[in-house]
Amino acid sequence: MAVDPMTASAAEPRSNTARLGLLALVLLHLALLAGLAWYLNRQPSGHWSHVERGRRYLAQGRPDLAFREVQHIRDEAPGAAEAMTVAGQALLTQGQVVVARQALQRALALNPDQPDAAKMLAAIYIASGDATRGIELLERAAALDPRDFRPWYALGKVRHDLGEFDAAAEAYAKALRLGAPGTEAREARIGRIRALLDANRAEEAAAELDDARARLPNEPRLAALEARAARATGNLDRALDRAEAALRLNPDDFDALYVRAQIRQIRGDRSAALADLERAHSLNRNHLGTLQLMLQLQAQLGLTAEAEETRARLERTRQRLDMMNTLTKLIHQNPEDPLPRYQMGQLAVEGGLDALAFRCFQAALDLDPKFQLARDALAKLPPEAANQSNAPSAPRN
């Protein structure tokens, strides 16, 4: 078809104008994209490279380098929460509990869904006497990482110490179902049996003992627990036999001494029963049952002065345990106050719980390094108290 020269000459400028306008729009769009890319490149891209390097250093046993890798991070860019967890673990490994606690609190504030941070912070709280907050974090960690046995294993210990025996037994059972290995499996089995006995569930404990004996044939603590189970179910002959077996393995086994004393008292051998109780009390000054049975035997034997002394010790022990329960609540309500921790440490010393006393005095000093009373009390503890204290530590990788 022929083209009208007049029409063509008029359309060409319009076509060129359109093309130039389109080109201008494309160039503007590209310029905007380039500007956006430049802007984004100027923003923090996250801290993941620091987090990964920090984790590698921790795995290599170099917490100093791990902390150095993340110590500069302050903003809330992606990876900041995980970087704080690396810092907390590094500091905890180096024994810097106060700043480790602060780092882990910051880590969970930025990202609550961090099971490792929750586990480490729980250990710090529990060691410093705040079992309530520690339990909350262990339960959170268990929910976040349902395949990990460790929170349940720790919950078994903490709940048993708080006298929550049924809950402790179930926590230990959960740890075993989740495949607790080696030492942890052994301790979980022993802990569950002890918790069942303390909860007056002797028949269940007896069944667990049969299984434990098959799995742990050389475990020396089983004999005393078998004695307790037999005593609770009324089988006195077996109870005495297993108590004697336990004492041959360990003359200072508290459970075995207490069971043998009960049986000797039932069978009329009061003097021998009293000797067992006196030995048992020297091993555990906080067991009310020991003192109650001692008082009864001393009264029956006409030991009036000794009975009065035991009555006073029994009342003081009741008061001490009540005060420790009250202080546990105060510590939870006032987590930054060192005084209740120091007072808990004093009561622990009185009760012969040197490891607990060490943790309490150390926790008070962590909160207030100038708290001289706690420093003086810590210096008076025997050296082995520190080794027995089970101070919080970072999880094994």
Side-chain angles (χ1 to χ4, degrees), residues 193 197 204-214 222-223 225-227 229:
I193 292 165
L197 289 169
E204 291 175 75
E208 295 281 347
L209 277 163
D210 290 340
D211 180 63
R213 178 61 74 185
L222 289 178
L225 295 174
E226 288 168 339

Side-chain angles (χ1 to χ4, degrees), residues 81 130 151 184 191 198 213 230 239 261 292 305:
D130 193 347
E184 289 87 351
D198 289 339
R213 178 61 74 185
Q292 289 166 339

Side-chain angles (χ1 to χ4, degrees), residues 270-271 274 293-311:
R270 294 171 180 167
S271 296
L274 187 57
L293 190 53
M294 281 179 66
L295 177 59
Q296 181 181 342
L297 285 167
Q298 287 166 340
Q300 291 171 350
L301 290 168
L303 303 173
T304 305
E306 291 86 345
E308 286 304 312
E309 182 181 345
T310 300
R311 191 187 309 279

Side-chain angles (χ1 to χ4, degrees), residues 33-108:
L33 288 177
L36 179 60
W38 173 81
Y39 175 78
L40 290 175
N41 285 335
R42 291 180 66 248
Q43 304 310 303
S45 60
H47 303 294
W48 298 114
S49 61
H50 296 288
V51 170
E52 290 306 314
R53 283 195 293 271
R55 287 171 175 168
R56 284 199 298 271
Y57 284 134
L58 287 171
Q60 295 165 9
R62 292 301 306 272
D64 53 330
L65 297 180
F67 180 71
R68 190 180 306 169
E69 189 65 39
V70 297
Q71 66 179 342
H72 66 284
I73 295 172
R74 294 291 182 271
D75 59 54
E76 299 182 10
E82 291 75 7
M84 288 296 101
T85 299
V86 170
Q89 184 172 346
L91 291 163
L92 192 54
T93 301
Q94 297 176 95
Q96 300 184 50
V97 178
V98 177
V99 282
R101 173 170 61 88
Q102 294 168 348
L104 293 167
Q105 287 170 336
R106 173 67 173 160
L108 290 171

